[in-house]
Amino acid sequence: MSNLKHLSPRKARTQRAAATAKAARAPLVSPASLMRAGTLLLLIAAMAALAGCGNGQRRQVQTFDGQTFRANAKSAGDDRQYFVASVRDPGKSIDGAIQAAEYQAVKHCIHLYGTSDIDWEVGPDTPKDQLSITSDSLTLSGRCKDL
């Protein structure tokens, strides 16, 4: 603009208007840099979305009577309603092992039948001296009630 001082006011206005119009037509950012920026934003958004995915996949650790137990419940034989729930290493805490087996049994019945109602054969209310306990496992058994 400083080189417009030597022009007449009319020519200076015309050249200023032409420069302004040219600047208005010129893109502020090139299309290639817009594509790069868009790709980068998409990549960042995808990474942020995937970052949260792993947290939900971790196994929740349940404690019973202050101890953790490896336990499972499975249908026994052809009758899916009948199950056996087993807990490893019940010597850590018999009460905790019973609670862990009951927890697995309830999860099993809810998963298969949508209810936590159980008819226990050998269950958490069974006297401890009548439970099926070996040195390395405790077993409860019962039948899931069907709705």
Side-chain angles (χ1 to χ4, degrees):
M1 293 280 184
S2 61
N3 61 353
L4 296 177
K5 288 182 182 179
H6 69 283
L7 298 174
S8 68
R10 186 173 179 195
K11 282 192 174 189
R13 267 195 315 269
T14 307
Q15 284 192 356
R16 254 185 262 139
T20 305
K22 183 178 179 183
R25 285 192 310 267
L28 296 175
V29 180
S30 72
S33 24
L34 280 177
M35 288 294 291
R36 280 192 299 267
T39 303
L40 182 63
L41 284 174
L42 184 62
L43 183 61
I44 290 171
M47 287 181 1
L50 290 175
C53 290
N55 294 338
Q57 302 298 324
R58 288 191 184 155
R59 199 174 198 189
Q60 284 187 331
V61 176
Q62 299 290 330
T63 59
F64 302 94
D65 198 28
Q67 301 292 323
T68 57
F69 294 93
R70 293 187 67 188
N72 66 8
K74 298 179 187 176
S75 295
D78 294 332
D79 184 2
R80 289 181 47 177
Q81 284 183 290
Y82 181 74
F83 66 86
V84 174
S86 300
V87 178
R88 291 186 187 169
D89 200 16
K92 293 193 277 185
S93 165
I94 296 295
D95 292 331
I98 293 169
Q99 292 170 7
E102 181 182 17
Y103 175 79
Q104 290 298 320
V106 168
K107 273 181 41 176
H108 174 77
C109 290
I110 288 173
H111 176 72
L112 290 179
Y113 295 100
T115 180
S116 62
D117 294 335
I118 298 173
D119 285 328
W120 292 101
E121 286 181 8
V122 177
D125 295 333
T126 304
K128 290 179 185 171
D129 62 335
Q130 295 176 10
L131 290 173
S132 173
I133 301 174
T134 64
S135 62
D136 63 344
S137 71
L138 172 135
T139 304
L140 300 182
S141 59
R143 185 178 214 70
C144 300
K145 289 185 181 177
D146 197 2
L147 292 177

